[in-house]
């Protein structure tokens, strides 16, 4: 493994500002290659998709390359890659598509750990058709889901679960939950938005029937991706315009695709594949090596960050699960974390304070709607960033 942090940071023009960014869970900084790909796609000949002119072929190539790159990243079939405006939009779309088959007596399972985008669309869809909502609870002491498999019954039609909490980093046993769901014929919808920024997904190994992620959380532009088996997508009938194609996956993508955005996603995935500059082989093999190198880098930084925070007066670290991402949610006795966030910003350290849309989790932890201070590491994070955050908090807590 080779992880040259200076080389990696040189890819990001925004990092020359001198800010230490701990806001990666909300969206990472963008490499120059992504911006270049977007600009190049927009400025060269571009039309609607086709093959009769270079402008049409450029559009078609952007779509094809996007699906291939996303499939390599997610361990999926390119024919099962759906573009969406965001993970939230995709969840709302597919909750409506799937709820057409639900009825009173059916059960939908959600968790207290998830971002609300993987909770409310399912709760609202269930309420509209009279289905029952069952909850998998969160243990505040451990940050782990509790008795997840027991929430699944013979009446379960779908389980929605995160692969990693954007609030406290917990990585639950998605495969165990999926096995329980599949045993009763239920589908599993996995929110991989935070997970994909730190772990290389394999949707088959996870047991995800439908898996969503957001490229802007892993160096790309602002959009969403859903991955599923094309055979499953063939069984799902969305409302659509009469003349629009009925082919999978295009029938789930409403309107003209943003070709420049798709090119940006492909470029971001290629950057991820090259984080380990010794990685070789197929793009999936390069991604495997690069994610391993990134994981080692982020794990070392997390250990340093966590140790430093534990030394601060009145610190409570809410990220406690045995398996978690390099993301810490912290509070301090007698201190307003929003004020601490503002104080860090004056020192050019960006660490927001909020519930970050993980409302159920924040409330279950006893933090109400205010949440706490979140420090998330990213591929470009450094020991200097970590030390500046710790020193800034120490000064503010005096």
């Amino acid at each position: 493994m080779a992880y040259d942090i200076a080389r990696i940071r040189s890819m990001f023009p925004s990092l020359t500002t001198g800010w230490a960014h701990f806001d990666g869970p909300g969206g990472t900084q963008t490499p120059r290659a992504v911006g270049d790909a977007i600009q190049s796609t927009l400025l060269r000949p571009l039309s609607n998709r086709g093959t009769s002119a270079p402008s049409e072929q450029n559009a078609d190539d952007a779509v094809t390359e996007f699906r291939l790159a996303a499939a390599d990243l997610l361990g999926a079939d390119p024919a099962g890659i759906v573009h969406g405006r965001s993970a939230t939009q995709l969840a709302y779309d597919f909750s409506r598509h799937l709820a057409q088959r639900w009825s009173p007596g059916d059960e939908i399972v959600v968790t207290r750990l998830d971002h609300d985008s993987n909770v409310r669309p399912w709760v609202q869809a269930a309420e509209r058709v009279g289905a029952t909502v069952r909850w998998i609870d969160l243990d505040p002491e451990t940050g782990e889901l509790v008795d997840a498999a027991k929430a699944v019954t013979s009446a379960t039609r779908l389980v929605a679960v995160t692969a990693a909490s954007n609030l406290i980093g917990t990585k639950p046993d998605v495969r165990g939950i999926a096995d329980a769901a599949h045993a009763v014929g239920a589908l599993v919808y996995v929110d991989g938005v935070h997970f994909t920024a730190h772990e290389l997904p394999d949707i088959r190994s996870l047991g995800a029937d439908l898996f969503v992620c957001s490229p802007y959380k892993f160096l790309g532009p602002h959009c969403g991706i859903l991955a599923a088996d094309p055979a499953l997508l063939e069984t799902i009938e969305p409302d659509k315009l009469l003349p629009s194609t009925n082919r999978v996956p295009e029938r789930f993508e409403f309107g003209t695709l943003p070709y420049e955005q798709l090119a940006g996603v492909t470029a971001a995935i290629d950057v991820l594949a090259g984080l380990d500059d010794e990685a070789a082989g197929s793009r999936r093999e390069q991604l495997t090596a690069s994610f391993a190198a990134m994981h080692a880098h982020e794990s070392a930084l997390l250990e340093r960050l966590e140790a430093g925070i534990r030394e601060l007066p009145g610190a409570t670290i809410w990220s406690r699960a045995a398996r978690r991402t390099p993301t810490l949610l912290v509070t301090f006795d007698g201190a307003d974390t929003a004020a601490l966030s503002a104080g860090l910003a004056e020192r050019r350290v960006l660490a927001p304070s909020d519930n970050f849309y993980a409302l159920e989790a924040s409330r279950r932890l006893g933090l109400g709607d205010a949440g706490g201070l979140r420090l998330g590491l990213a591929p470009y994070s450094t020991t200097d960033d970590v030390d500046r955050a710790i020193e800034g908090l120490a000064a503010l807590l005096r």
Side-chain angles (χ1 to χ4, degrees), residues 82-106:
V82 179
H83 169 272
R85 191 186 70 76
S86 66
T88 301
Q89 175 252 308
L90 286 164
Y92 267 114
D93 282 351
F94 276 81
S95 69
R96 287 189 288 265
H97 303 335
L98 294 170
Q100 295 178 47
R101 302 180 182 179
W102 302 344
S103 58
D106 290 340

Side-chain angles (χ1 to χ4, degrees), residues 46-342:
L46 192 65
S47 305
N48 282 331
R49 296 169 67 184
T51 58
S52 61
S55 57
E56 292 182 340
Q57 189 64 59
N58 287 339
D60 198 65
D61 288 347
V63 177
T64 299
E65 291 163 8
F66 158 75
R67 297 202 203 282
L68 289 170
D72 284 342
L73 176 68
L74 304 178
D77 186 326
I81 297 295
V82 179
H83 169 272
R85 191 186 70 76
S86 66
T88 301
Q89 175 252 308
L90 286 164
Y92 267 114
D93 282 351
F94 276 81
S95 69
R96 287 189 288 265
H97 303 335
L98 294 170
Q100 295 178 47
R101 302 180 182 179
W102 302 344
S103 58
D106 290 340
E107 295 179 353
I108 308 305
V109 178
V110 294
T111 89
R112 302 284 182 196
L113 182 64
D114 274 77
H115 187 287
D116 210 54
S117 67
N118 203 32
V119 175
R120 220 54 53 189
W122 306 109
V123 170
Q124 291 165 350
E127 289 173 345
R128 279 193 294 270
V129 300
T132 299
V133 175
R134 293 172 62 88
W135 291 85
I136 299 174
D137 200 11
L138 169 67
D139 182 352
E141 296 302 315
T142 64
E144 306 274 11
L145 292 178
V146 180
D147 295 331
K150 292 183 179 179
V152 178
T153 74
S154 60
T156 302
R157 295 295 171 261
L158 179 135
V159 178
V161 62
T162 186
S165 165
N166 71 305
L167 186 69
I168 56 176
T170 300
K171 295 189 292 187
D173 179 14
V174 173
R175 184 54 194 247
I177 295 169
D179 287 345
H182 292 155
V184 297
L187 292 174
V188 179
Y189 190 100
V190 176
D191 175 354
V193 171
H194 186 60
F195 181 87
T196 308
H198 302 285
E199 302 286 346
L200 184 63
D202 184 323
I203 64 171
R204 297 178 184 87
S205 295
L206 283 169
D209 296 299
L210 302 116
F211 181 97
V212 290
C213 62
S214 299
Y216 72 99
K217 307 296 176 113
F218 52 83
L219 317 184
H222 290 78
C223 61
I225 300 172
L226 180 140
D229 186 331
L232 172 61
L233 294 179
E234 291 285 359
T235 70
I236 302 172
E237 295 288 345
D239 292 331
K240 68 175 193 66
L241 302 182
L242 187 60
S244 65
T245 181
N246 200 39
R247 292 194 306 271
V248 166
E250 283 88 349
R251 74 184 184 205
F252 300 101
E253 297 166 332
F254 307 126
T256 302
L257 285 166
Y259 307 119
E260 69 281 4
Q261 193 178 75
L262 303 186
V265 175
T266 300
I269 293 170
D270 285 338
V271 170
L272 287 172
L275 291 179
D276 179 349
D277 54 12
E278 294 181 358
S282 68
R283 180 161 50 196
R284 179 68 180 184
E285 290 169 335
Q286 292 176 49
L287 284 163
T288 300
S290 289
F291 267 76
M294 179 178 70
H295 187 273
H297 172 75
E298 291 181 338
S299 294
L301 292 180
L302 178 63
E303 185 176 349
R304 185 185 188 98
L305 178 62
E306 193 162 354
I309 288 177
R310 289 192 186 283
E311 295 297 319
L312 297 175
T316 299
I317 297 177
W318 298 93
S319 303
R320 301 168 178 171
R323 297 175 61 253
R324 50 191 168 90
T325 64
T327 302
L328 295 182
L329 184 74
V330 298
T331 56
F332 299 88
D333 294 345
D336 179 356
T337 55
L340 291 175
S341 176

